[in-house]
């Protein structure tokens, strides 16, 4: 029973969303509505109104060359779909764009259509038309605002790398938006490890060339001041003296603050 209600049970309005969600997750309906009609003696009749999805006859995919139809259907489990509606196709489009991004097609255009069966109105087919666009790769990785750390050093710490002759061996040149966002944190961590506690990557942007084949990635850095450790205190106890505790601390006075050495020191003292 998908409804959290029973006959002669006290009606609880807070369970309405649970009831609607339970029915919706069956996958057969595009809309679910629930309402109660008041009767006598504080009783109600409960009504559930649904709008069914079309039964799916087949899915046709056109325009795909970089990714084979079988791979698309297997990865997205399209052959397991039994019903179809606009929301289902919207989710398929999002998943398809992610698939194409992994194949370095970042400007792919996807059009979806539902084709109703005129003889059997409750059935329909789906057509997915793909305009792949060119394959694109990262041609340049640039940094702005980095006055104290060299661009070469920053490049060694991030996932996003420039395309080169043997990119097929190490994945260089691949543009991934999520990894670019993670690169911002990788750069900030490096700066903190060098003593720049307030350093931030204010922006990271990707710009495509006119032919959409080359991508330029730019990280805008705000370095801030470099912090130096002036004093380190380690309060001893009955087991360890302050001198013994300080031997476990790899941070040093009159040296720049280091995030990795702070973590190392904490682990040493555990």
């Amino acid at each position: 029973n998908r409804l959290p209600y029973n006959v002669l049970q006290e009606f609880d309005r807070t369970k309405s969303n649970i009831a609607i969600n339970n029915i919706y997750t069956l996958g057969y309906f595009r809309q679910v509505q629930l309402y109660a009609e008041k009767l006598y003696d504080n009783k109600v009749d409960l009504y559930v109104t649904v709008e069914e999805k079309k039964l799916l006859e087949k899915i046709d995919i056109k325009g795909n060359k970089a990714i084979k139809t079988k791979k698309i259907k297997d990865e997205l489990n399209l052959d397991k779909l039994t019903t179809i509606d606009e929301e289902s196709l919207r989710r398929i489009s999002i998943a398809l764009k992610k698939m194409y991004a992994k194949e370095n097609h970042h400007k792919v255009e996807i059009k979806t259509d539902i084709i109703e069966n005129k003889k059997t109105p409750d059935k329909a087919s789906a057509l997915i038309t793909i305009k792949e666009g060119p394959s694109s790769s990262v041609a340049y990785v640039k940094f702005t605002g980095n006055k104290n750390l060299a661009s070469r050093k920053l490049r060694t710490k991030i996932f996003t790398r420039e395309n080169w002759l043997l990119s097929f061996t190490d994945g260089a040149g691949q543009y991934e938006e999520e990894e670019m966002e993670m690169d911002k944190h990788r750069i900030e961590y490096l700066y903190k490890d060098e003593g720049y506690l307030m350093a931030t990557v204010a922006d990271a942007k990707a710009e495509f060339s006119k032919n959409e084949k080359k991508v330029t990635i730019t990280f805008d850095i705000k370095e801030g001041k470099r912090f130096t450790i002036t004093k380190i205190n380690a309060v001893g106890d009955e087991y360890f003296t302050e001198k013994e505790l300080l031997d476990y601390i790899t941070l040093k006075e009159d040296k720049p603050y280091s995030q990795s050495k702070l973590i190392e020191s904490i682990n040493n003292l555990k």
Side-chain angles (χ1 to χ4, degrees):
N1 183 10
R2 294 281 175 166
L3 293 176
Y5 298 110
N6 292 308
V7 176
L8 300 181
Q9 181 186 46
E10 183 178 354
F11 177 64
D12 184 355
R13 290 184 179 275
T14 62
K15 294 182 179 179
S16 298
N17 287 337
I18 298 174
I20 291 172
N21 186 65
N22 287 350
I23 297 172
Y24 188 79
T25 52
L26 288 170
Y28 299 111
F29 310 108
R30 57 183 304 197
Q31 283 193 4
V32 180
Q33 293 180 328
L34 186 148
Y35 66 93
E37 179 183 1
K38 289 184 180 180
L39 302 176
Y40 55 90
D41 296 333
N42 292 324
K43 294 182 179 180
V44 297
D45 278 346
L46 196 62
Y47 294 88
V48 180
T49 304
V50 298
E51 183 180 345
E52 292 183 327
K53 296 180 181 180
K54 300 287 185 182
L55 295 174
L56 180 62
E57 294 184 300
K58 64 176 181 177
I59 293 182
D60 290 324
I61 303 173
K62 295 182 178 180
N64 55 308
K65 296 178 182 179
I67 306 177
K68 292 182 178 180
T69 299
K70 185 179 185 306
K71 183 176 180 180
I72 292 174
K73 289 189 173 183
D74 288 348
E75 287 202 18
L76 303 185
N77 295 316
L78 298 186
D79 287 336
K80 294 182 180 180
L81 287 177
T82 57
T83 60
I84 198 69
D85 66 351
E86 291 81 1
E87 177 60 21
S88 298
L89 287 177
R90 186 187 71 82
R91 292 178 181 177
I92 291 171
S93 295
I94 293 172
L96 258 177
K97 287 182 178 180
K98 289 183 178 180
M99 283 186 68
Y100 268 96
K102 291 180 180 179
E103 299 295 329
N104 289 322
H105 287 266
H106 300 284
K107 294 295 183 177
V108 62
E109 297 178 11
I110 298 172
K111 181 184 177 184
T112 60
D113 294 289
I114 294 177
I115 304 169
E116 296 186 6
N117 187 322
K118 294 181 179 179
K119 294 182 180 180
T120 313
D122 63 333
K123 296 182 179 180
S125 300
L127 174 62
I128 301 173
T129 305
I130 301 172
K131 185 179 178 182
E132 294 182 328
S135 175
S136 52
S137 60
V138 177
Y140 308 102
V141 176
K142 299 180 179 180
F143 304 91
T144 60
N146 57 314
K147 299 177 182 179
N148 296 291
L149 293 186
S151 296
R152 179 178 294 181
K153 184 171 185 176
L154 296 174
R155 287 192 182 95
T156 64
K157 300 298 182 181
I158 61 176
F159 171 87
T160 307
R161 290 169 290 165
E162 297 174 353
N163 192 23
W164 68 299
L165 184 62
L166 299 178
S167 290
F168 64 91
T169 64
D170 62 3
Q174 189 170 358
Y175 165 57
E176 294 185 25
E177 187 174 349
E178 291 180 1
E179 287 293 344
M180 185 179 72
E181 286 300 310
M182 288 300 298
D183 282 339
K184 292 168 61 176
H185 299 295
R186 294 178 180 116
I187 293 169
E188 289 174 354
Y189 185 90
L190 174 60
Y191 266 95
K192 287 178 173 59
D193 214 31
E194 296 286 339
Y196 297 90
L197 284 173
M198 307 305 292
T200 60
V201 179
D203 188 28
K205 60 183 179 181
E207 295 178 299
F208 287 79
S209 60
K210 288 184 179 180
N211 62 8
E212 298 182 343
K213 292 184 178 181
K214 295 181 179 181
V215 187
T216 299
I217 307 295
T218 305
F219 295 96
D220 182 25
I221 300 168
K222 307 297 182 186
E223 291 184 328
K225 296 180 179 180
R226 194 180 198 189
F227 288 81
T228 300
I229 298 172
T230 56
K231 184 67 177 176
I232 299 176
N233 294 316
V235 180
D237 56 21
E238 57 184 308
Y239 300 105
F240 297 97
T241 65
E242 181 177 22
K243 183 179 182 305
E244 289 174 326
L245 292 175
L246 287 173
D247 289 338
Y248 289 98
I249 298 175
T250 54
L251 289 167
K252 300 300 178 185
E253 293 179 359
D254 299 322
K255 297 291 184 181
Y257 169 85
S258 168
Q259 186 80 2
S260 62
K261 287 184 179 180
L262 174 63
I263 295 171
E264 182 182 37
S265 299
I266 292 172
N267 289 330
N268 289 343
L269 290 168
K270 284 183 178 180

